[in-house]
Amino acid sequence: MLNDRRQRLLRLLLAASGPLPATEIGRLLGYPARSVRYDLEALSDWVAAHGVQLVSTAGVGYQLEGETGRLREYLDRFVAAEAPPGEYIPSPRERVRRLLLMLLSDEAPRRLGDLADRLGVGKSTVHADLAAAESWASRRGLALVRGHAGICLQGTEGHWRQAIADLVGELADEAQLALLLEDHPDSEPLQALLRPLLPHVAWGPLGDLMREFGAPELSVHVAVMISRLYAGHTLSFSPGHISRGASSPCARQAQAICQALQERFAIRIPHTELAALALQLEAARAVEAVPETGIATREDLELAEQMAILVETRLGIALRQDREFLMGLALHLGPIALRLRRGEVVENPLLDEVRAKYPAACLAAQDVGRALSAIWGLKVPDPEVGYLAIHIAAAMEREKLRRRPPPRALLVCSSGVGTSSLLLTRLRSLLPEIQPGRVVSAFRMREVLAEDPHDLVIATCQVPPCGLPVVRVSPLLGEDDVVRVRRTAQTLQSEAWRGRQPVLRDLLTAETVALDVEAQTWEEAIRAGGALLVNAGLAEPRYVEAMVRTAREFGPYIVLGPGFALPHARPEDGVLRLGMSMIRLRQPVPFGHPENDPVSLVVCLGAIDHETHLKALMQLSELLGNRDAVAALQSAPDVATVLRLVGSVSGRAEEADRGEAT
C-alpha cells in the first residue's frame, strides 16, 4: 500500500542516476535509515506488480530496474487525480490540501458528502480535515462558512488571492514550478492538478514573459491575478494604496509587465492591479537584497541593533558585533512592516522544523516579535516570527564557530607506533573539533605538559593525575569514545566562554539594589534606576538621559516580560564600568506595553561592550523567568533577601558549569 512517504521514496529512486544507500535516502527524505529499509521491503512486491524490480546491492545501495517509465506515469496520475486510487493512502496533510484545492477552485458551497466522495474518505474524516482547513484559511483572512447550502470559503479578494498563491506554493516546490513555467513535459501532472484552481493560465508563455522582465519569483502571483480577472474578480484598493503603488520605484516595471500581459493574454488589467503588482515587486526586491548591497536604512539598522539587545538578553550571545546578523535583520524588517501594513499573510514552511531544532531561537524571536508589534502597532504573526528565528538561529551557529579555537588534546598511548598512529588518524577523521597535539607515553606525560600546555588528555591507558580532563578511550576509538571526547571538548569550550564573564551577583550588590522606590512615570523609574549606577561610579549622569531617550525613541520594547523592564543605552553614552541596578517600585507604573504593563521591577544595564555582560543577563533571565523567584522578589522585606535570591541563581549556574565539566 502506498502513502505519501513511500511515493516520495519511489520518486527519489526514479530520479537517481545510480544506487542510493538507505542512509543517504533517509538523509534526503528526513527519516531514519531503518524506516527506509522497512518501506523498501514493503514496496518490493508493489513495484514488481508494475514491471519494476527493486535491486539491493550490499554495501552499495538500492535502485529500480525495469519499466521505470510506466511506474513514473502511474505515480503522476496520483498527483493529477482528484480522488486517490484505492491502493493509495493520502496523509492528513494531503487530504487537507486537496480539500482546500476544491474549496478555492469554486466559491459555490460544496456538500459534505460531495467532498467526502471526492477525497475517497468518510464524512467524519472530512469533518476533522475541515477543522485543519479552517485554521489554514483563517491565517490568510478567509472564513470557512458552514450553511444549509453547503461549505465554502469567504473573504476579500486580496485574501483569496494570497490563499491560492500559498496553496500553489505548498503543492509544488521551486523545482516543480520552474518546470511548470518552462512548460516541460514532466510538469503535466502538476498542470492537471492546478487546472481547477487556475484554469485560465498558460504557464509556458507566462514563464517566458516573467523571465523577460526579471521577475520570475512573482509568476504564481501573476498567474493568480490573470485567473481571477478572467473570472471577473478585481482587487479593491484604497486611494492611499493606489498612490503608493504609483509612486513605487517599481511602478514603471509593473506597468511594462501589465502591458505585456494585456497583449499576450488578451485581458484588461485595471490600475488597481498595476498598483498591487508594483508593491509586490517592491517587497520582492527588498527581500532579495543581500547584505553586501548596503541598502538598509539607518532607521532599520538602529531598530535591528535594539532587537539584537533583546536576543542577547534571552540567549546570552553577542549579536551587536555580528555584522551579518544586523544587516540581514535590518534588510528583513522593512519587508515585514510593508507586508503587515498591506495586510498580507505569509506562509513559513520551515516553521515547525525551526521550532524543533532551535527552540531557544524561537523564544528569542517571540520577544522580538512582541517588541516590533509594540513599535509598529501591528501584530507580528507566527510565520513572520519564524523567519526572525531563522536569522537568530544562523547567528547562533556562527557564534559556535567564532567562540574559541578547538581544544588541544595530548594523546597518551601505551602501545606501539602503529596503534598511536591509528588513534591519531581516527581522531582527525571523526573529531575535527579537536586539535590533536603530541603523542607521548604515560611516563613522559607530566614532563610534556609542563613544557607544552594542552587542554585535555586522551589516553588509551591509566595516567597519573595531571589537572586536566582525561578521557580514556580504546586505541580503535569506538563510537562511545567519540561521544565522550566530544562532550568533554564542548564542556571545555563553554567553560572558556563563560569564564570571561561576571555573574549576576557580581553586578547586583547592596549599592545597586533599592526597594519600594517612588516613581510616577516610566521616565522617573528609569532615572531612579540610573541614579544607582551613577552613585556607584558605574556611569555618568548623561547615561541616564541616554536610557530615557532610547526608551522614548524606540517605545516600550524594553519591557521584556510581565512587570519587568530593562532600560539601557550604548556604552559610549556614558558607561564607566560594567554595571547593573535593580529597583522595585512601590507602585507599578505603565511603560506603554500592550501586554506586560504595569512595570514594578526595573533593571538598568550599563554595558561596556557586546559580550562581558551576557552571562549575568542569562542569569537575570533565569531569575525573572521563575514565577516563584519573581514572587519572592516582589515580597522581599529587604535588600539582603534580594541579594540572596540573586546569589542562588549565580550559584546554581556555577554548579551546573561544574557538573558539565565532570
Side-chain angles (χ1 to χ4, degrees):
M1 186 69 73
L2 279 185
N3 55 26
D4 177 56
R5 191 173 82 178
R6 291 175 181 175
Q7 183 188 179
R8 289 188 293 121
L9 192 159
L10 286 176
R11 290 187 182 277
L12 179 63
L13 291 175
L14 286 168
S17 58
L20 288 177
T23 52
E24 179 66 7
I25 295 173
R27 185 186 68 80
L28 293 170
L29 297 181
Y31 61 97
R34 182 178 65 255
S35 301
V36 171
R37 295 186 186 96
Y38 173 80
D39 282 348
L40 288 168
E41 183 179 346
L43 285 169
S44 181
D45 292 338
W46 189 90
V47 297
H50 291 80
V52 176
Q53 183 181 4
L54 178 65
V55 178
S56 171
T57 305
V60 179
Y62 298 85
Q63 66 184 114
L64 297 173
E65 295 180 353
E67 299 180 44
T68 54
R70 174 183 158 193
L71 178 61
R72 183 180 287 107
E73 290 176 4
Y74 190 85
L75 293 176
D76 287 344
R77 288 202 295 272
F78 285 171
V79 176
E82 279 198 6
E87 64 183 85
Y88 180 77
I89 303 175
S91 67
R93 177 178 293 183
E94 286 179 286
R95 292 199 310 269
V96 170
R97 286 175 178 169
R98 289 181 181 271
L99 186 58
L100 288 165
L101 187 65
M102 288 186 279
L103 294 173
L104 286 168
S105 298
D106 188 355
E107 297 176 47
R110 308 286 290 264
R111 295 285 185 183
L112 184 66
D114 177 46
L115 295 174
D117 291 341
R118 294 291 186 91
L119 290 172
V121 296
K123 292 183 179 180
S124 59
T125 302
V126 177
H127 269 299
D129 292 342
L130 280 171
E134 183 173 20
S135 174
W136 187 97
S138 67
R139 293 197 300 273
R140 289 152 182 84
L142 298 180
L144 184 75
V145 178
R146 299 172 175 86
H148 294 296
I151 300 162
C152 64
L153 292 171
Q154 293 181 358
T156 66
E157 178 63 16
H159 289 145
W160 196 275
R161 293 188 186 190
Q162 185 66 50
I164 293 175
D166 286 350
L167 183 59
V168 172
E170 292 186 16
L171 292 170
D173 59 26
E174 287 188 14
Q176 292 170 309
L177 288 174
L179 292 176
L180 189 68
L181 293 168
E182 294 172 4
D183 207 12
H184 194 281
D186 288 349
S187 70
E188 177 51 38
L190 181 59
Q191 290 193 42
L193 178 67
L194 297 180
R195 201 162 287 131
L197 193 64
L198 301 168
H200 304 287
V201 178
W203 290 99
L206 176 63
D208 293 341
L209 186 149
M210 297 305 291
R211 279 190 294 273
E212 179 184 334
F213 283 96
E217 72 282 349
L218 288 183
S219 298
V220 171
H221 287 279
V222 172
V224 174
M225 178 184 76
I226 293 171
S227 187
R228 296 295 288 177
L229 286 175
Y230 267 119
H233 301 286
T234 58
L235 279 176
S236 297
F237 249 27
S238 68
H241 278 91
I242 295 174
S243 175
R244 284 217 307 272
S247 61
S248 167
C250 298
R252 183 172 297 178
Q253 184 185 18
Q255 187 173 14
I257 292 174
C258 288
Q259 181 65 35
L261 289 170
Q262 290 182 138
E263 295 172 359
R264 193 165 300 187
F265 292 94
I267 186 173
R268 179 182 172 275
I269 300 178
H271 64 286
T272 53
E273 304 286 349
L274 192 155
L277 182 58
L279 293 175
Q280 282 183 321
L281 284 165
E282 185 179 338
R285 293 293 181 267
V287 171
E288 287 179 342
V290 295
E292 288 72 21
T293 59
I295 65 168
T297 65
R298 176 174 169 273
E299 292 76 14
D300 284 343
L301 279 170
E302 290 181 353
L303 183 57
E305 184 163 341
Q306 297 301 321
M307 296 305 103
I309 295 173
L310 283 186
V311 180
E312 288 178 353
T313 304
R314 167 73 71 170
L315 300 181
I317 63 174
L319 286 183
R320 281 173 288 172
Q321 67 184 23
D322 187 338
R323 176 79 178 162
E324 188 174 348
F325 172 79
L326 288 176
M327 187 63 74
L329 181 59
L331 290 169
H332 192 72
L333 291 175
I336 290 179
L338 181 62
R339 287 193 293 269
L340 294 180
R341 293 188 184 106
R342 291 171 54 188
E344 293 182 3
V345 180
V346 299
E347 187 69 8
N348 188 339
L350 300 174
L351 186 58
D352 291 340
E353 187 176 354
V354 173
R355 284 172 171 166
K357 290 186 177 180
Y358 297 98
C362 289
L363 288 173
Q366 289 172 10
D367 292 341
V368 173
R370 284 190 289 268
L372 293 174
S373 296
I375 292 169
W376 292 335
L378 299 164
K379 179 173 175 54
V380 180
D382 285 348
E384 298 283 14
V385 171
Y387 284 119
L388 294 171
I390 291 172
H391 282 280
I392 296 169
M396 292 170 65
E397 294 296 337
R398 285 193 297 273
E399 180 71 11
K400 290 178 183 177
L401 297 174
R402 186 191 70 83
R403 283 189 174 183
R404 301 228 6 131
R408 193 158 177 257
L410 179 70
L411 307 186
V412 180
C413 295
S414 59
S415 304
V417 174
T419 304
S420 61
S421 177
L422 175 61
L423 175 61
L424 184 60
T425 301
R426 286 185 62 77
L427 270 174
R428 287 173 174 161
S429 171
L430 299 176
L431 290 159
E433 63 267 40
I434 298 289
Q435 180 186 351
R438 297 173 62 176
V439 181
V440 300
S441 67
F443 298 107
R444 296 199 59 227
M445 184 188 75
R446 287 181 173 174
E447 174 189 344
V448 170
L449 287 175
E451 61 187 38
D452 186 7
H454 289 66
D455 299 303
L456 76 156
V457 173
I458 298 175
T460 63
C461 57
Q462 188 70 31
V463 298
C466 60
L468 293 178
V470 177
V471 184
R472 182 83 176 268
V473 299
S474 159
L476 301 180
L477 199 67
E479 290 184 9
D480 290 345
D481 297 329
V482 171
V483 170
R484 288 186 293 110
V485 173
R486 178 169 287 129
R487 185 183 300 128
T488 303
Q490 290 170 345
T491 300
L492 284 170
Q493 288 188 304
S494 61
E495 281 181 339
W497 172 252
R498 289 188 295 256
R500 299 181 301 193
Q501 302 169 312
V503 296
L504 186 61
R505 66 183 173 196
D506 296 329
L507 303 184
L508 288 180
T509 65
E511 199 175 7
T512 59
V513 176
L515 303 180
D516 301 329
V517 175
E518 294 284 358
Q520 302 301 315
T521 65
W522 64 266
E523 291 188 27
E524 291 182 10
I526 292 177
R527 287 194 171 95
L532 293 178
L533 295 178
V534 173
N535 294 337
L538 302 171
E540 300 174 24
R542 65 188 179 96
Y543 184 73
V544 181
E545 296 308 312
M547 287 193 293
V548 173
R549 185 171 61 252
T550 301
R552 185 184 295 118
E553 182 176 353
F554 290 101
Y557 80 94
I558 59 172
V559 184
L560 302 184
F564 163 60
L566 184 74
H568 52 270
R570 298 173 183 271
E572 60 267 26
D573 287 331
V575 177
L576 299 175
R577 289 188 293 125
L578 173 62
M580 189 181 285
S581 69
M582 175 188 286
I583 63 169
R584 186 182 70 192
L585 299 176
R586 184 178 296 277
Q587 294 294 332
V589 299
F591 272 58
H593 197 283
E595 299 174 4
N596 294 329
D597 271 351
V599 169
S600 57
L601 288 174
V602 179
V603 176
C604 293
L605 171 66
I608 57 173
D609 55 29
H610 298 314
E611 298 184 8
T612 315
H613 58 284
L614 295 181
K615 186 172 184 179
L617 273 183
M618 289 180 67
Q619 293 176 2
L620 177 66
S621 179
E622 179 186 345
L623 178 68
L624 298 176
N626 184 312
R627 292 184 180 180
D628 293 338
V630 171
L633 284 174
Q634 297 286 14
S635 61
D638 48 41
V639 171
T641 303
V642 172
L643 296 180
R644 281 196 293 273
L645 287 167
V646 169
S648 67
V649 174
S650 296
R652 283 198 303 273
E654 290 174 348
E655 287 176 9
D657 293 348
R658 288 193 294 271
E660 288 180 11
T662 57

